[in-house]
Amino acid sequence: MFKDLMKNFQIGKYVFKFCPWYIFYSIVFIICSTLQALAKVYLIEYFIEVVEDAVKNKVNPLDDFPKVLFSLALYLLLILVVTLYKSYYNQVIKRKYRIIFIGSVSNVMYNKARLVDYADFDNPEFYDIYSRAIRDGQTRGMVVYEDFINFIASIVNTIALGTYIVVGDSILIAVVLISVIVRIIIADTVNKNRHRFDKETEIDRRVYGYVNRTFYQQRFAAEIKSTIVSDLLIEKCNEAQKRIDQKFIQRNRSNTILNSISTIITNLFEHGIIYCYLVYKLFRGLTISKLSSMLNAATQFSSNFYDAASFLNKVKLNALYIDYFLDFMKYQPTLENLGTKDLDEPFERLKIDNVTFSYPGTDFNALDNINLEIKRGEKLAIVGLNGAGKTTLIKLLLKFYNPNVGDIYFNNQAIRDIKENVIRRKYSIVFQDFRLYDVTIAENILMHPVHLLEDEKKVWDALDKVNLKEKVSALPEGINTLYSREFNGVEFSGGERQKLAIARVFASNADIYILDEPTSSLDPIAEHEINQLLMEKAEGKTIIVIAHRLSTVVDANRIILIEYGKIIEEGTHHQLLMQQGKYYKMFSTQAALYRRNEKN
């Protein structure tokens, strides 16, 4: 239990960090709760005593009316103020600080997620922890804090009401304690069953969520409409839902029985015995005023003591979910943030020196003894069949992985020693599976907000170079148009989307442009235009292009052909054709296919 408490404290401290004023409002809430509980007991007893005394002494109750009226007004004012504050606390303050907390913790988690090693996203065990942490971590700290505040309020009320009851009759305390302890044990079992259900259905719920996303995201719409893949997805969804339902029925059956037992104990054992006992005491001389106040106090005591005792169950339940968040926050990358050196010098060359690399969990080399030097201003093309190792080489340049053998040097510094964010800022990259985000066109190109007029100029210049300036100029809000149909923005065709992504490199200040299949969605004419732009208008920039279509790279200063992780040919387009080796065969085959398609 101590470990569980410490886990709750570890996540609860984020509330103290991000929402310090929430603590003050919570203390006032606790005071109001106690005043409300005691007012209900003591003032009810007082009102009935006045009536009892009047009847007993045969005195007109109206003689004490001013005194009673004053007490009633005081009671109503107290209840009104307390009730209004508690309502304001629950409806406004709590919601306000939940929003603040979720936003603050989300930022912490997103910044932490940026440090996750690239390789760990392929680790299912880590991904389970990561997804649960992201899902539960944003709210769990606030749940823990609110549970703690309710616990303090319940404890204070329990002590105050318990003292009153013990003075009146301690047997009532024993009845309530026995009932509540049994109910707590039942609630603990129910919570454990719920957590087992969540854990057992984690993968199926992710499948369900994935299928749900595919049916409302626009990028899946064409295939869903033109194929019968929707039937497959629905079947997968139904299978996942069926497994979820089976687990729910299995867990819910026992929970229903346990909750029924808890209800029976509350209504028959606890309330029944309390009522019978107080009626018995009434016949033994207990006054009606005392009976009413004791009954009210016992009912409130039972509720508050149960809430206070339930806190221990909540601590254990929260701890089960907190583990994911804490494990994620304690995560330490094996590569990210290991670099310590800055890099202020201008780029002169990249040197790949005897580099061999294999992916974690594999027993073959994705790259084998690669030696390559890339100089400033050079236009280099990397070609080869799928799986040859082209994109792997780019991942090493970006320091997503470190080589198993050898080193990569930026000028004369090994990049394994350079800070990761520093080395990556030297590149502007368009990945093969690039993404456009639901932000403005300008922000999609700059990859940051527009701060200055100079930023706008960069965007327009980049759009002009990829022949999108006219199209964007015609939009009502120009470069400030939101790129998203989901949020009532615009969306471009496949080729235009690729041009928009390529515009990013023209708008950047990076030393090196990397383009992984940059023109795969473009027609031959547009492809030629973009290639000319890349080769001619990116003055002074180093360009690394990965391509399958060899017509893309004919203007490169140098072409390297990779096969099975090794460089097997190197030279200009003309030199490689003259060698009549692998490159020659690939280029000839593609040219023949292209001519055949033209005839057809």
Side-chain angles (χ1 to χ4, degrees):
M1 178 56 69
F2 177 74
K3 289 183 178 180
D4 291 339
L5 280 170
M6 291 306 298
K7 290 176 184 177
N8 279 253
F9 175 76
Q10 283 180 276
I11 196 171
K13 69 182 181 182
Y14 287 98
V15 180
F16 290 81
K17 179 179 179 180
F18 298 127
C19 311
W21 273 100
Y22 192 23
I23 300 163
F24 168 76
Y25 292 116
S26 299
I27 292 172
V28 177
F29 171 80
I30 293 169
I31 294 171
C32 288
S33 297
T34 305
L35 289 174
Q36 187 179 45
L38 292 176
K40 287 180 179 179
V41 173
Y42 284 100
L43 289 176
I44 287 174
E45 182 178 3
Y46 170 74
F47 294 140
I48 298 177
E49 275 183 350
V50 171
V51 176
E52 284 182 326
D53 288 343
V55 172
K56 182 178 180 181
N57 300 320
K58 297 181 179 180
V59 176
N60 188 350
L62 295 178
D63 292 343
D64 286 333
F65 183 71
K67 182 179 178 181
V68 173
L69 184 62
F70 175 77
S71 299
L72 180 61
L74 184 64
Y75 169 74
L76 291 176
L77 179 62
L78 176 64
I79 293 298
L80 178 63
V81 171
V82 167
T83 302
L84 285 175
Y85 179 79
K86 289 180 69 176
S87 176
Y88 179 74
Y89 178 86
N90 287 317
Q91 299 299 321
V92 178
I93 295 174
K94 187 181 289 187
R95 293 182 179 183
K96 171 188 173 182
Y97 283 106
R98 267 184 172 255
I99 293 171
I100 293 173
F101 179 81
I102 290 172
S104 300
V105 171
S106 294
N107 285 335
V108 171
M109 297 185 74
Y110 295 153
N111 284 320
K112 184 74 175 180
R114 292 165 61 183
L115 301 178
V116 173
D117 284 338
Y118 193 88
D120 284 328
F121 284 102
D122 292 326
N123 181 348
E125 184 178 342
F126 170 80
Y127 199 81
D128 278 348
I129 294 173
Y130 174 70
S131 61
R132 291 170 187 166
I134 292 292
R135 185 181 63 242
D136 294 325
Q138 295 173 333
T139 58
R140 189 59 56 177
M142 190 58 73
V143 170
V144 168
Y145 175 79
E146 289 168 359
D147 286 345
F148 178 72
I149 293 302
N150 291 331
F151 168 71
I152 297 298
S154 298
I155 283 290
V156 173
N157 290 348
T158 298
I159 293 172
L161 294 167
T163 301
Y164 178 84
I165 296 172
V166 167
V167 172
D169 196 321
S170 58
I171 292 178
L172 287 177
I173 292 289
V175 173
V176 172
L177 289 178
I178 294 171
S179 170
V180 168
I181 289 171
V182 174
R183 288 162 58 200
I184 290 296
I185 294 172
I186 292 173
D188 182 44
T189 305
V190 169
N191 286 334
K192 287 179 179 176
N193 283 339
R194 287 173 178 167
H195 177 258
R196 288 192 198 100
F197 169 77
D198 286 346
K199 192 171 183 178
E200 290 169 351
T201 58
E202 171 69 26
I203 294 177
D204 285 321
R205 285 184 288 122
R206 280 185 13 218
V207 169
Y208 191 87
Y210 168 76
V211 173
N212 181 54
R213 290 194 301 274
T214 61
F215 274 94
Y216 76 74
Q217 289 185 352
Q218 189 269 345
R219 61 196 177 99
F220 295 104
E223 286 188 344
I224 286 176
K225 286 181 174 296
S226 60
T227 70
I228 59 172
V229 70
S230 58
D231 294 337
L232 172 64
L233 293 172
I234 292 171
E235 183 180 344
K236 295 293 183 184
C237 182
N238 290 338
E239 289 173 356
Q241 185 62 57
K242 184 177 180 180
R243 289 190 293 269
I244 292 172
D245 291 343
Q246 288 173 343
K247 290 293 182 183
F248 177 79
I249 292 171
Q250 178 184 343
R251 296 296 178 192
N252 195 56
R253 186 183 296 115
S254 59
N255 282 358
T256 301
I257 295 172
L258 291 170
N259 285 325
S260 298
I261 295 172
S262 181
T263 301
I264 292 171
I265 290 173
T266 302
N267 291 284
L268 293 184
F269 178 79
E270 183 179 314
H271 292 169
I273 290 179
I274 288 174
Y275 276 87
C276 290
Y277 178 72
L278 288 176
V279 169
Y280 164 75
K281 294 287 287 186
L282 186 64
F283 284 104
R284 297 294 299 268
L286 185 71
T287 62
I288 294 177
S289 60
K290 200 67 176 176
L291 181 144
S292 299
S293 63
M294 292 290 285
L295 183 60
N296 191 304
T299 302
Q300 288 194 78
F301 177 84
S302 173
S303 176
N304 280 280
F305 184 73
Y306 179 80
D307 288 342
S310 294
F311 176 70
L312 299 178
N313 281 345
K314 291 176 180 177
V315 166
K316 289 193 287 185
L317 178 64
N318 285 328
L320 296 173
Y321 292 96
I322 290 169
D323 279 338
Y324 306 127
F325 174 79
L326 294 181
D327 286 346
F328 178 64
M329 295 306 293
K330 287 186 289 188
Y331 167 84
Q332 293 297 325
T334 58
L335 188 148
E336 296 289 329
N337 274 2
L338 293 185
T340 58
K341 294 183 179 180
D342 286 313
L343 194 62
D344 298 325
E345 59 196 74
F347 169 69
E348 293 297 333
R349 66 166 189 162
L350 279 172
K351 183 179 180 182
I352 301 167
D353 187 23
N354 295 317
V355 164
T356 296
F357 172 76
S358 60
Y359 285 100
T362 64
D363 56 1
F364 63 90
N365 291 331
L367 294 174
D368 192 358
N369 195 32
I370 297 291
N371 287 278
L372 181 66
E373 186 170 330
I374 307 168
K375 296 180 180 179
R376 181 169 60 88
E378 186 174 8
K379 310 304 189 277
L380 174 74
I382 305 174
V383 300
L385 299 176
N386 287 333
K390 305 182 299 296
T391 299
T392 299
L393 181 57
I394 299 303
K395 290 177 181 178
L396 294 183
L397 292 178
L398 294 170
K399 206 180 175 184
F400 290 165
Y401 300 91
N402 275 331
N404 302 122
V405 178
D407 275 307
I408 299 174
Y409 295 90
F410 188 99
N411 295 342
N412 294 316
Q413 290 194 51
I415 68 170
R416 68 171 71 240
D417 300 325
I418 301 172
K419 294 177 181 177
E420 288 70 27
N421 63 329
V422 171
I423 190 64
R424 289 167 192 161
R425 286 198 199 106
K426 296 295 182 180
Y427 303 98
S428 180
I429 314 107
V430 179
F431 292 104
Q432 187 173 5
D433 56 348
F434 69 88
R435 292 287 181 263
L436 295 178
Y437 300 92
D438 292 347
V439 295
T440 67
I441 291 173
E443 289 167 338
N444 260 300
I445 292 173
L446 295 171
M447 304 297 269
H448 64 72
V450 177
H451 295 298
L452 305 168
L453 288 176
E454 182 64 27
D455 289 334
E456 293 187 14
K457 185 177 183 303
K458 285 181 182 178
V459 172
W460 284 117
D461 287 346
L463 288 170
D464 188 29
K465 287 179 179 178
V466 296
N467 296 324
L468 284 179
K469 184 176 181 179
E470 185 177 345
K471 180 179 180 68
V472 175
S473 298
L475 298 174
E477 296 183 57
I479 59 174
N480 296 314
T481 302
L482 186 67
Y483 185 85
S484 166
R485 279 188 182 161
E486 185 175 351
F487 300 114
N488 298 320
V490 298
E491 192 149 343
F492 294 165
S493 67
E496 290 170 334
R497 291 177 72 252
Q498 204 143 20
K499 287 183 178 181
L500 197 61
I502 292 171
R504 290 172 178 168
V505 301
F506 290 117
S508 75
N509 294 319
D511 293 316
I512 305 166
Y513 295 166
I514 298 179
L515 301 109
D516 188 351
E517 288 294 318
T519 56
S520 59
S521 295
L522 303 179
D523 59 68
I525 296 175
E527 177 188 47
H528 178 71
E529 290 175 353
I530 292 296
N531 287 333
Q532 289 297 108
L533 287 170
L534 289 172
M535 298 302 175
E536 295 176 8
K537 295 192 176 183
E539 296 179 7
K541 299 294 184 180
T542 303
I543 299 177
I544 303 173
V545 178
I546 295 176
H548 288 97
R549 287 194 293 195
L550 302 186
S551 58
T552 306
V553 302
V554 294
D555 294 324
N557 302 140
R558 186 161 48 121
I559 302 168
I560 64 170
L561 175 61
I562 296 181
E563 187 173 73
Y564 301 118
K566 296 182 178 182
I567 297 176
I568 62 171
E569 292 182 17
E570 182 176 354
T572 65
H573 172 69
H574 179 70
Q575 289 170 342
L576 293 176
L577 289 182
M578 294 296 292
Q579 292 177 19
Q580 296 195 355
K582 189 78 172 184
Y583 179 88
Y584 171 82
K585 292 178 181 178
M586 291 172 61
F587 185 83
S588 301
T589 301
Q590 289 186 11
L593 289 172
Y594 182 72
R595 286 193 295 269
R596 189 182 306 165
N597 290 335
E598 273 193 324
K599 290 178 181 178
N600 294 334

